[in-house]
Amino acid sequence: MPQILVIAEHDQGQLKAATLAATGFARKVGSAAGGQFEVLVLGHGVAGVAESLRHCGAVSVLTADDPALRHPLADKFAAVIAGVVRGRGATMVVAAASTFSKDILPRAAGLLDTGMLSDVIDVWPDGGDFTFKRVLFAGNALATVKLDGPLKFLTVRAAAFATPPPTESAAPVVAVPVDGATLPNQIEFVAREGRAAGRPDATEAPIVVSGGRAIRNADDFERLVGGLADALGAAVGSSRALVDAGITPNSLQIGQTGKVVAPNLYFALGISGAIQHLAGMKDTRVIVAVNKDPEAPVFEVADYGLVGDVYEVVPELIAKLKPG
Amino acid sequence: MKILVPLKRVPDADTKIRVKPDGSGIETDGVKFSVNPFDAIALEEALRLKEKFGDIETVVASIGEEACAEQLRTGLAMGADRAVLIRSDADLDPRAVAQVLAALFRREQPGLVLMGKQAIDDDSNQCGQMLAALLGLGQATFVSKLELLDHASRARCGRETDAGLETVTVTLPAVLTTDLRLNEPRYVSVPGILKAKKKPLEVLPLTDFCAGAVSRTKLLRLEAPPHRQAGARVRSVDELLDKLRHEAKVI
């Protein structure tokens, strides 16, 4: 029976919603093959995050709480995860795919000499083992794979696994001992540039408004893309073209090499729809595309396409969305 | 100092990927292959460090079929000093690749490994981190700014995370994986190509070099993703808002 360990991700005391999708994966495996799962929260001062996970269906919420874990540094986090995997006898380690998990999980897998699959979107039991489906080639191919070995590491796409309903019973919170002084010390935290306050993260938000090449400068991006996002309470995103042009920061990029999002509603404003961009948003429920070029490839995936200039269409949208 | 830069041979980023009807892989007939774009960024950074500090040797390496020599020649033409091709016809997963690279690291003893954060074919984003773990070295992933400190005993790295730019310092030797914004790789010049022909390209059979590196990932089948149907065109903002409110019910 699989013993699953879900690695929780949080940001300044707030659990990332994608973690709950990873518990959805764990419940799916558990209900198909028996077995149970635990959640591990690493950090410093994580009692609140642990508390918010007590009804996620885990048999216990483990905390590795130590001042040395204040920042998610790969050398320390991977060492702690490897220790917990050994100590708890986990056979499967899973986290939602993000820059956090992609930095840390492969390192922990390396420490334990085990294989790993990234961006898993489906799982099913198969003769005492499991078969997985994962995304590759910028979303242009899906691979059905097996991963040999008694221990497997995985990142899963949050959009592919539903957040399970909260359980009645509350799992106990169990502290795992961490001795900060014995952890590796090769990476030192210097600084972190905070995300612009006020808008949600694109990977978490139900609506994402994204701008592309048609946006001519940062002021216009803020006025049009930011303005529409604020009118909808949405997150903002960007195509690679705008990041390359220095108009938007790297952290807004949606696509194969940026963030992968799957909100309820995605506005592609002046985005042509290169396959690398589509790889980051095509699992969205409803896609709206606004583009001057009626032949833009983005219209091939859009549920609602409006041929028009974003400089005219978007101000009208914002005006008509405003109450009153 | 020596910098090791692994280069992966991948279908060019502009290729339309088509899955073979039997699901065994992708169509490769007529497909152009290139150096994985993130690896080209890693090599560019190594070459810039060499140009800045002088006493740096850059070694490019690839693991795979004979044809990987083409990508190594591209690396040499960009300016790398020598190349190592570890020959194997096996499909290797990131763990196996990391094991081979660890063996190469032990042989070459570089002060720094610079490599792409992910290969654009497999999109795994695992190799560098696994390599760092196997060697017990520090790592910085998704690097978009790099500066060597204290006589190249440490590196200050800007990392692109979901929340924004994070800065860390890492003790060297270390494994750094490169993000898109670190630099723009140079084009290969004709004199560069001519020079590359005279640079050493060593070929080692994987079985001699790192016999234990075996893939644990087994591909059962590859398929094209479900096709997303194009929806309707709307003629006006009013029609769009009406559809979003009453048909899709998303706002």
Side-chain angles (χ1 to χ4, degrees), chain B residues 86-121:
Chain B
I86 298 156
R87 273 285 293 115
S88 167
D89 293 320
D91 262 335
L92 298 178
D93 63 6
R95 173 181 159 275
V97 172
Q99 287 175 334
V100 179
L101 292 177
L104 185 61
F105 183 97
R106 291 188 192 102
R107 191 184 88 142
E108 295 284 344
Q109 296 291 319
L112 182 61
V113 180
L114 271 169
M115 58 198 284
K117 70 168 182 177
Q118 75 193 69
I120 62 162
D121 52 357

PDB file of all heavy atoms in Angstrom, chain B residues 86-121:
ATOM      1  N   ILE B  86      29.368  11.432 -24.587  1.00  0.00           N
ATOM      2  CA  ILE B  86      29.217  10.131 -23.960  1.00  0.00           C
ATOM      3  C   ILE B  86      28.152   9.387 -24.743  1.00  0.00           C
ATOM      4  O   ILE B  86      26.983   9.759 -24.749  1.00  0.00           O
ATOM      5  CB  ILE B  86      28.871  10.286 -22.464  1.00  0.00           C
ATOM      6  CG1 ILE B  86      30.043  11.009 -21.791  1.00  0.00           C
ATOM      7  CG2 ILE B  86      28.620   8.932 -21.821  1.00  0.00           C
ATOM      8  CD1 ILE B  86      29.697  11.724 -20.538  1.00  0.00           C
ATOM      9  N   ARG B  87      28.608   8.345 -25.448  1.00  0.00           N
ATOM     10  CA  ARG B  87      27.760   7.665 -26.430  1.00  0.00           C
ATOM     11  C   ARG B  87      26.836   6.653 -25.784  1.00  0.00           C
ATOM     12  O   ARG B  87      27.285   5.764 -25.058  1.00  0.00           O
ATOM     13  CB  ARG B  87      28.654   6.954 -27.449  1.00  0.00           C
ATOM     14  CG  ARG B  87      29.090   7.809 -28.608  1.00  0.00           C
ATOM     15  CD  ARG B  87      27.968   8.037 -29.616  1.00  0.00           C
ATOM     16  NE  ARG B  87      27.610   6.787 -30.297  1.00  0.00           N
ATOM     17  CZ  ARG B  87      26.427   6.194 -30.176  1.00  0.00           C
ATOM     18  NH1 ARG B  87      25.481   6.703 -29.429  1.00  0.00           N
ATOM     19  NH2 ARG B  87      26.177   5.071 -30.842  1.00  0.00           N
ATOM     20  N   SER B  88      25.566   6.807 -26.089  1.00  0.00           N
ATOM     21  CA  SER B  88      24.585   5.834 -25.630  1.00  0.00           C
ATOM     22  C   SER B  88      23.378   5.917 -26.544  1.00  0.00           C
ATOM     23  O   SER B  88      22.987   7.007 -26.963  1.00  0.00           O
ATOM     24  CB  SER B  88      24.164   6.152 -24.200  1.00  0.00           C
ATOM     25  OG  SER B  88      23.013   5.396 -23.857  1.00  0.00           O
ATOM     26  N   ASP B  89      22.790   4.774 -26.850  1.00  0.00           N
ATOM     27  CA  ASP B  89      21.555   4.786 -27.628  1.00  0.00           C
ATOM     28  C   ASP B  89      20.341   4.563 -26.737  1.00  0.00           C
ATOM     29  O   ASP B  89      19.220   4.486 -27.222  1.00  0.00           O
ATOM     30  CB  ASP B  89      21.608   3.726 -28.736  1.00  0.00           C
ATOM     31  CG  ASP B  89      22.659   4.096 -29.779  1.00  0.00           C
ATOM     32  OD1 ASP B  89      22.762   5.292 -30.115  1.00  0.00           O
ATOM     33  OD2 ASP B  89      23.403   3.198 -30.220  1.00  0.00           O
ATOM     34  N   ALA B  90      20.589   4.476 -25.436  1.00  0.00           N
ATOM     35  CA  ALA B  90      19.468   4.231 -24.499  1.00  0.00           C
ATOM     36  C   ALA B  90      18.727   5.534 -24.230  1.00  0.00           C
ATOM     37  O   ALA B  90      19.287   6.612 -24.322  1.00  0.00           O
ATOM     38  CB  ALA B  90      20.013   3.663 -23.196  1.00  0.00           C
ATOM     39  N   ASP B  91      17.447   5.391 -23.900  1.00  0.00           N
ATOM     40  CA  ASP B  91      16.673   6.524 -23.407  1.00  0.00           C
ATOM     41  C   ASP B  91      17.029   6.702 -21.943  1.00  0.00           C
ATOM     42  O   ASP B  91      16.789   5.802 -21.146  1.00  0.00           O
ATOM     43  CB  ASP B  91      15.167   6.204 -23.500  1.00  0.00           C
ATOM     44  CG  ASP B  91      14.556   6.803 -24.747  1.00  0.00           C
ATOM     45  OD1 ASP B  91      15.119   7.792 -25.244  1.00  0.00           O
ATOM     46  OD2 ASP B  91      13.531   6.270 -25.199  1.00  0.00           O
ATOM     47  N   LEU B  92      17.582   7.823 -21.578  1.00  0.00           N
ATOM     48  CA  LEU B  92      17.981   8.013 -20.187  1.00  0.00           C
ATOM     49  C   LEU B  92      17.055   9.028 -19.526  1.00  0.00           C
ATOM     50  O   LEU B  92      16.762  10.074 -20.097  1.00  0.00           O
ATOM     51  CB  LEU B  92      19.426   8.515 -20.126  1.00  0.00           C
ATOM     52  CG  LEU B  92      20.483   7.561 -20.704  1.00  0.00           C
ATOM     53  CD1 LEU B  92      21.854   8.198 -20.621  1.00  0.00           C
ATOM     54  CD2 LEU B  92      20.477   6.220 -19.989  1.00  0.00           C
ATOM     55  N   ASP B  93      16.591   8.698 -18.326  1.00  0.00           N
ATOM     56  CA  ASP B  93      15.751   9.653 -17.605  1.00  0.00           C
ATOM     57  C   ASP B  93      16.653  10.625 -16.824  1.00  0.00           C
ATOM     58  O   ASP B  93      17.881  10.444 -16.763  1.00  0.00           O
ATOM     59  CB  ASP B  93      14.710   8.934 -16.741  1.00  0.00           C
ATOM     60  CG  ASP B  93      15.303   8.069 -15.646  1.00  0.00           C
ATOM     61  OD1 ASP B  93      16.545   8.097 -15.470  1.00  0.00           O
ATOM     62  OD2 ASP B  93      14.538   7.373 -14.957  1.00  0.00           O
ATOM     63  N   PRO B  94      16.059  11.673 -16.234  1.00  0.00           N
ATOM     64  CA  PRO B  94      16.905  12.683 -15.585  1.00  0.00           C
ATOM     65  C   PRO B  94      17.842  12.113 -14.523  1.00  0.00           C
ATOM     66  O   PRO B  94      18.980  12.563 -14.391  1.00  0.00           O
ATOM     67  CB  PRO B  94      15.869  13.634 -14.960  1.00  0.00           C
ATOM     68  CG  PRO B  94      14.674  13.525 -15.841  1.00  0.00           C
ATOM     69  CD  PRO B  94      14.640  12.087 -16.270  1.00  0.00           C
ATOM     70  N   ARG B  95      17.368  11.113 -13.787  1.00  0.00           N
ATOM     71  CA  ARG B  95      18.223  10.522 -12.752  1.00  0.00           C
ATOM     72  C   ARG B  95      19.452   9.860 -13.372  1.00  0.00           C
ATOM     73  O   ARG B  95      20.580  10.044 -12.893  1.00  0.00           O
ATOM     74  CB  ARG B  95      17.409   9.494 -11.959  1.00  0.00           C
ATOM     75  CG  ARG B  95      18.211   8.693 -10.968  1.00  0.00           C
ATOM     76  CD  ARG B  95      17.329   7.667 -10.244  1.00  0.00           C
ATOM     77  NE  ARG B  95      18.130   6.605  -9.678  1.00  0.00           N
ATOM     78  CZ  ARG B  95      18.520   5.524 -10.353  1.00  0.00           C
ATOM     79  NH1 ARG B  95      18.175   5.372 -11.611  1.00  0.00           N
ATOM     80  NH2 ARG B  95      19.240   4.601  -9.756  1.00  0.00           N
ATOM     81  N   ALA B  96      19.235   9.127 -14.463  1.00  0.00           N
ATOM     82  CA  ALA B  96      20.363   8.464 -15.122  1.00  0.00           C
ATOM     83  C   ALA B  96      21.318   9.493 -15.718  1.00  0.00           C
ATOM     84  O   ALA B  96      22.542   9.354 -15.627  1.00  0.00           O
ATOM     85  CB  ALA B  96      19.843   7.506 -16.209  1.00  0.00           C
ATOM     86  N   VAL B  97      20.767  10.544 -16.304  1.00  0.00           N
ATOM     87  CA  VAL B  97      21.614  11.599 -16.872  1.00  0.00           C
ATOM     88  C   VAL B  97      22.437  12.263 -15.767  1.00  0.00           C
ATOM     89  O   VAL B  97      23.631  12.521 -15.920  1.00  0.00           O
ATOM     90  CB  VAL B  97      20.761  12.645 -17.623  1.00  0.00           C
ATOM     91  CG1 VAL B  97      21.605  13.843 -18.034  1.00  0.00           C
ATOM     92  CG2 VAL B  97      20.119  12.006 -18.851  1.00  0.00           C
ATOM     93  N   ALA B  98      21.791  12.498 -14.620  1.00  0.00           N
ATOM     94  CA  ALA B  98      22.511  13.110 -13.503  1.00  0.00           C
ATOM     95  C   ALA B  98      23.647  12.200 -13.032  1.00  0.00           C
ATOM     96  O   ALA B  98      24.730  12.681 -12.683  1.00  0.00           O
ATOM     97  CB  ALA B  98      21.543  13.411 -12.353  1.00  0.00           C
ATOM     98  N   GLN B  99      23.423  10.884 -13.063  1.00  0.00           N
ATOM     99  CA  GLN B  99      24.489   9.959 -12.661  1.00  0.00           C
ATOM    100  C   GLN B  99      25.674  10.043 -13.617  1.00  0.00           C
ATOM    101  O   GLN B  99      26.830  10.045 -13.188  1.00  0.00           O
ATOM    102  CB  GLN B  99      23.949   8.522 -12.614  1.00  0.00           C
ATOM    103  CG  GLN B  99      23.025   8.283 -11.430  1.00  0.00           C
ATOM    104  CD  GLN B  99      22.390   6.904 -11.461  1.00  0.00           C
ATOM    105  OE1 GLN B  99      22.239   6.305 -12.530  1.00  0.00           O
ATOM    106  NE2 GLN B  99      22.002   6.414 -10.306  1.00  0.00           N
ATOM    107  N   VAL B 100      25.370  10.123 -14.916  1.00  0.00           N
ATOM    108  CA  VAL B 100      26.461  10.220 -15.907  1.00  0.00           C
ATOM    109  C   VAL B 100      27.199  11.549 -15.731  1.00  0.00           C
ATOM    110  O   VAL B 100      28.439  11.596 -15.742  1.00  0.00           O
ATOM    111  CB  VAL B 100      25.899  10.100 -17.340  1.00  0.00           C
ATOM    112  CG1 VAL B 100      27.023  10.238 -18.359  1.00  0.00           C
ATOM    113  CG2 VAL B 100      25.163   8.787 -17.527  1.00  0.00           C
ATOM    114  N   LEU B 101      26.442  12.614 -15.535  1.00  0.00           N
ATOM    115  CA  LEU B 101      27.080  13.923 -15.357  1.00  0.00           C
ATOM    116  C   LEU B 101      27.907  13.960 -14.071  1.00  0.00           C
ATOM    117  O   LEU B 101      28.960  14.615 -14.018  1.00  0.00           O
ATOM    118  CB  LEU B 101      26.036  15.043 -15.347  1.00  0.00           C
ATOM    119  CG  LEU B 101      25.323  15.297 -16.684  1.00  0.00           C
ATOM    120  CD1 LEU B 101      24.261  16.386 -16.529  1.00  0.00           C
ATOM    121  CD2 LEU B 101      26.317  15.685 -17.785  1.00  0.00           C
ATOM    122  N   ALA B 102      27.443  13.242 -13.036  1.00  0.00           N
ATOM    123  CA  ALA B 102      28.224  13.189 -11.793  1.00  0.00           C
ATOM    124  C   ALA B 102      29.566  12.497 -12.054  1.00  0.00           C
ATOM    125  O   ALA B 102      30.614  12.934 -11.553  1.00  0.00           O
ATOM    126  CB  ALA B 102      27.432  12.473 -10.704  1.00  0.00           C
ATOM    127  N   ALA B 103      29.546  11.421 -12.844  1.00  0.00           N
ATOM    128  CA  ALA B 103      30.792  10.729 -13.182  1.00  0.00           C
ATOM    129  C   ALA B 103      31.708  11.656 -13.982  1.00  0.00           C
ATOM    130  O   ALA B 103      32.926  11.694 -13.757  1.00  0.00           O
ATOM    131  CB  ALA B 103      30.483   9.457 -13.977  1.00  0.00           C
ATOM    132  N   LEU B 104      31.109  12.423 -14.878  1.00  0.00           N
ATOM    133  CA  LEU B 104      31.904  13.365 -15.674  1.00  0.00           C
ATOM    134  C   LEU B 104      32.467  14.472 -14.788  1.00  0.00           C
ATOM    135  O   LEU B 104      33.618  14.901 -14.959  1.00  0.00           O
ATOM    136  CB  LEU B 104      31.023  13.962 -16.779  1.00  0.00           C
ATOM    137  CG  LEU B 104      31.721  14.874 -17.787  1.00  0.00           C
ATOM    138  CD1 LEU B 104      32.817  14.122 -18.541  1.00  0.00           C
ATOM    139  CD2 LEU B 104      30.708  15.458 -18.777  1.00  0.00           C
ATOM    140  N   PHE B 105      31.681  14.912 -13.836  1.00  0.00           N
ATOM    141  CA  PHE B 105      32.147  15.941 -12.894  1.00  0.00           C
ATOM    142  C   PHE B 105      33.375  15.439 -12.133  1.00  0.00           C
ATOM    143  O   PHE B 105      34.371  16.140 -11.983  1.00  0.00           O
ATOM    144  CB  PHE B 105      31.022  16.300 -11.911  1.00  0.00           C
ATOM    145  CG  PHE B 105      31.401  17.395 -10.949  1.00  0.00           C
ATOM    146  CD1 PHE B 105      31.037  18.716 -11.201  1.00  0.00           C
ATOM    147  CD2 PHE B 105      32.130  17.115  -9.790  1.00  0.00           C
ATOM    148  CE1 PHE B 105      31.394  19.732 -10.314  1.00  0.00           C
ATOM    149  CE2 PHE B 105      32.496  18.121  -8.907  1.00  0.00           C
ATOM    150  CZ  PHE B 105      32.124  19.432  -9.174  1.00  0.00           C
ATOM    151  N   ARG B 106      33.300  14.193 -11.679  1.00  0.00           N
ATOM    152  CA  ARG B 106      34.418  13.648 -10.891  1.00  0.00           C
ATOM    153  C   ARG B 106      35.677  13.569 -11.744  1.00  0.00           C
ATOM    154  O   ARG B 106      36.784  13.786 -11.268  1.00  0.00           O
ATOM    155  CB  ARG B 106      34.059  12.277 -10.318  1.00  0.00           C
ATOM    156  CG  ARG B 106      32.981  12.376  -9.243  1.00  0.00           C
ATOM    157  CD  ARG B 106      32.739  11.052  -8.525  1.00  0.00           C
ATOM    158  NE  ARG B 106      31.521  11.176  -7.728  1.00  0.00           N
ATOM    159  CZ  ARG B 106      30.329  10.681  -8.088  1.00  0.00           C
ATOM    160  NH1 ARG B 106      30.212   9.991  -9.222  1.00  0.00           N
ATOM    161  NH2 ARG B 106      29.284  10.866  -7.329  1.00  0.00           N
ATOM    162  N   ARG B 107      35.515  13.295 -13.021  1.00  0.00           N
ATOM    163  CA  ARG B 107      36.677  13.228 -13.902  1.00  0.00           C
ATOM    164  C   ARG B 107      37.227  14.606 -14.192  1.00  0.00           C
ATOM    165  O   ARG B 107      38.437  14.823 -14.197  1.00  0.00           O
ATOM    166  CB  ARG B 107      36.294  12.540 -15.214  1.00  0.00           C
ATOM    167  CG  ARG B 107      37.499  12.183 -16.064  1.00  0.00           C
ATOM    168  CD  ARG B 107      37.082  11.584 -17.393  1.00  0.00           C
ATOM    169  NE  ARG B 107      36.876  12.627 -18.380  1.00  0.00           N
ATOM    170  CZ  ARG B 107      37.212  12.512 -19.661  1.00  0.00           C
ATOM    171  NH1 ARG B 107      37.757  11.400 -20.105  1.00  0.00           N
ATOM    172  NH2 ARG B 107      36.990  13.492 -20.496  1.00  0.00           N
ATOM    173  N   GLU B 108      36.340  15.562 -14.453  1.00  0.00           N
ATOM    174  CA  GLU B 108      36.773  16.883 -14.918  1.00  0.00           C
ATOM    175  C   GLU B 108      37.071  17.859 -13.777  1.00  0.00           C
ATOM    176  O   GLU B 108      37.797  18.825 -13.965  1.00  0.00           O
ATOM    177  CB  GLU B 108      35.691  17.491 -15.834  1.00  0.00           C
ATOM    178  CG  GLU B 108      35.464  16.721 -17.122  1.00  0.00           C
ATOM    179  CD  GLU B 108      36.583  16.985 -18.130  1.00  0.00           C
ATOM    180  OE1 GLU B 108      37.343  17.969 -17.963  1.00  0.00           O
ATOM    181  OE2 GLU B 108      36.699  16.186 -19.085  1.00  0.00           O
ATOM    182  N   GLN B 109      36.448  17.651 -12.631  1.00  0.00           N
ATOM    183  CA  GLN B 109      36.635  18.539 -11.474  1.00  0.00           C
ATOM    184  C   GLN B 109      36.431  20.022 -11.814  1.00  0.00           C
ATOM    185  O   GLN B 109      37.297  20.864 -11.536  1.00  0.00           O
ATOM    186  CB  GLN B 109      38.038  18.325 -10.869  1.00  0.00           C
ATOM    187  CG  GLN B 109      38.268  16.945 -10.296  1.00  0.00           C
ATOM    188  CD  GLN B 109      37.445  16.688  -9.033  1.00  0.00           C
ATOM    189  OE1 GLN B 109      37.304  17.546  -8.172  1.00  0.00           O
ATOM    190  NE2 GLN B 109      36.864  15.509  -8.953  1.00  0.00           N
ATOM    191  N   PRO B 110      35.316  20.371 -12.412  1.00  0.00           N
ATOM    192  CA  PRO B 110      35.081  21.788 -12.716  1.00  0.00           C
ATOM    193  C   PRO B 110      34.760  22.580 -11.447  1.00  0.00           C
ATOM    194  O   PRO B 110      34.364  22.015 -10.431  1.00  0.00           O
ATOM    195  CB  PRO B 110      33.853  21.747 -13.637  1.00  0.00           C
ATOM    196  CG  PRO B 110      33.112  20.527 -13.211  1.00  0.00           C
ATOM    197  CD  PRO B 110      34.170  19.524 -12.787  1.00  0.00           C
ATOM    198  N   GLY B 111      34.920  23.889 -11.540  1.00  0.00           N
ATOM    199  CA  GLY B 111      34.570  24.754 -10.419  1.00  0.00           C
ATOM    200  C   GLY B 111      33.110  25.156 -10.458  1.00  0.00           C
ATOM    201  O   GLY B 111      32.589  25.737  -9.506  1.00  0.00           O
ATOM    202  N   LEU B 112      32.477  24.874 -11.595  1.00  0.00           N
ATOM    203  CA  LEU B 112      31.091  25.304 -11.781  1.00  0.00           C
ATOM    204  C   LEU B 112      30.451  24.446 -12.877  1.00  0.00           C
ATOM    205  O   LEU B 112      31.095  24.163 -13.891  1.00  0.00           O
ATOM    206  CB  LEU B 112      31.106  26.775 -12.207  1.00  0.00           C
ATOM    207  CG  LEU B 112      29.785  27.516 -12.438  1.00  0.00           C
ATOM    208  CD1 LEU B 112      28.941  27.553 -11.172  1.00  0.00           C
ATOM    209  CD2 LEU B 112      30.068  28.947 -12.903  1.00  0.00           C
ATOM    210  N   VAL B 113      29.203  24.041 -12.643  1.00  0.00           N
ATOM    211  CA  VAL B 113      28.410  23.432 -13.718  1.00  0.00           C
ATOM    212  C   VAL B 113      27.301  24.413 -14.044  1.00  0.00           C
ATOM    213  O   VAL B 113      26.550  24.833 -13.159  1.00  0.00           O
ATOM    214  CB  VAL B 113      27.799  22.077 -13.302  1.00  0.00           C
ATOM    215  CG1 VAL B 113      26.978  21.490 -14.449  1.00  0.00           C
ATOM    216  CG2 VAL B 113      28.868  21.115 -12.837  1.00  0.00           C
ATOM    217  N   LEU B 114      27.207  24.793 -15.297  1.00  0.00           N
ATOM    218  CA  LEU B 114      26.123  25.670 -15.761  1.00  0.00           C
ATOM    219  C   LEU B 114      25.303  24.868 -16.753  1.00  0.00           C
ATOM    220  O   LEU B 114      25.840  24.347 -17.732  1.00  0.00           O
ATOM    221  CB  LEU B 114      26.711  26.895 -16.471  1.00  0.00           C
ATOM    222  CG  LEU B 114      27.051  28.132 -15.633  1.00  0.00           C
ATOM    223  CD1 LEU B 114      27.857  29.113 -16.478  1.00  0.00           C
ATOM    224  CD2 LEU B 114      25.785  28.803 -15.122  1.00  0.00           C
ATOM    225  N   MET B 115      24.003  24.777 -16.519  1.00  0.00           N
ATOM    226  CA  MET B 115      23.150  24.011 -17.439  1.00  0.00           C
ATOM    227  C   MET B 115      21.747  24.592 -17.482  1.00  0.00           C
ATOM    228  O   MET B 115      21.346  25.344 -16.606  1.00  0.00           O
ATOM    229  CB  MET B 115      23.129  22.532 -17.040  1.00  0.00           C
ATOM    230  CG  MET B 115      22.640  22.249 -15.634  1.00  0.00           C
ATOM    231  SD  MET B 115      23.119  20.587 -15.063  1.00  0.00           S
ATOM    232  CE  MET B 115      21.949  19.573 -15.975  1.00  0.00           C
ATOM    233  N   GLY B 116      21.015  24.242 -18.523  1.00  0.00           N
ATOM    234  CA  GLY B 116      19.662  24.753 -18.676  1.00  0.00           C
ATOM    235  C   GLY B 116      18.751  24.267 -17.553  1.00  0.00           C
ATOM    236  O   GLY B 116      18.937  23.176 -17.025  1.00  0.00           O
ATOM    237  N   LYS B 117      17.748  25.074 -17.221  1.00  0.00           N
ATOM    238  CA  LYS B 117      16.841  24.676 -16.139  1.00  0.00           C
ATOM    239  C   LYS B 117      15.966  23.500 -16.567  1.00  0.00           C
ATOM    240  O   LYS B 117      15.507  22.732 -15.745  1.00  0.00           O
ATOM    241  CB  LYS B 117      15.968  25.843 -15.681  1.00  0.00           C
ATOM    242  CG  LYS B 117      14.903  26.291 -16.682  1.00  0.00           C
ATOM    243  CD  LYS B 117      13.895  27.242 -16.045  1.00  0.00           C
ATOM    244  CE  LYS B 117      12.824  27.648 -17.040  1.00  0.00           C
ATOM    245  NZ  LYS B 117      11.790  28.509 -16.445  1.00  0.00           N
ATOM    246  N   GLN B 118      15.699  23.391 -17.856  1.00  0.00           N
ATOM    247  CA  GLN B 118      14.936  22.259 -18.347  1.00  0.00           C
ATOM    248  C   GLN B 118      15.266  22.068 -19.817  1.00  0.00           C
ATOM    249  O   GLN B 118      15.753  22.994 -20.462  1.00  0.00           O
ATOM    250  CB  GLN B 118      13.434  22.456 -18.161  1.00  0.00           C
ATOM    251  CG  GLN B 118      12.779  23.430 -19.134  1.00  0.00           C
ATOM    252  CD  GLN B 118      11.371  23.818 -18.712  1.00  0.00           C
ATOM    253  OE1 GLN B 118      11.197  24.523 -17.712  1.00  0.00           O
ATOM    254  NE2 GLN B 118      10.363  23.394 -19.446  1.00  0.00           N
ATOM    255  N   ALA B 119      15.026  20.861 -20.315  1.00  0.00           N
ATOM    256  CA  ALA B 119      15.157  20.616 -21.744  1.00  0.00           C
ATOM    257  C   ALA B 119      13.767  20.770 -22.338  1.00  0.00           C
ATOM    258  O   ALA B 119      12.789  20.326 -21.738  1.00  0.00           O
ATOM    259  CB  ALA B 119      15.693  19.217 -21.996  1.00  0.00           C
ATOM    260  N   ILE B 120      13.673  21.396 -23.493  1.00  0.00           N
ATOM    261  CA  ILE B 120      12.350  21.710 -24.034  1.00  0.00           C
ATOM    262  C   ILE B 120      11.671  20.510 -24.683  1.00  0.00           C
ATOM    263  O   ILE B 120      10.564  20.628 -25.183  1.00  0.00           O
ATOM    264  CB  ILE B 120      12.396  22.894 -25.029  1.00  0.00           C
ATOM    265  CG1 ILE B 120      13.272  22.548 -26.229  1.00  0.00           C
ATOM    266  CG2 ILE B 120      12.846  24.165 -24.337  1.00  0.00           C
ATOM    267  CD1 ILE B 120      13.006  23.471 -27.415  1.00  0.00           C
ATOM    268  N   ASP B 121      12.320  19.336 -24.668  1.00  0.00           N
ATOM    269  CA  ASP B 121      11.608  18.135 -25.139  1.00  0.00           C
ATOM    270  C   ASP B 121      10.893  17.452 -23.972  1.00  0.00           C
ATOM    271  O   ASP B 121       9.685  17.325 -23.945  1.00  0.00           O
ATOM    272  CB  ASP B 121      12.543  17.168 -25.888  1.00  0.00           C
ATOM    273  CG  ASP B 121      13.805  16.815 -25.124  1.00  0.00           C
ATOM    274  OD1 ASP B 121      14.022  17.347 -24.009  1.00  0.00           O
ATOM    275  OD2 ASP B 121      14.596  15.990 -25.639  1.00  0.00           O
TER     276      ASP B 121
END
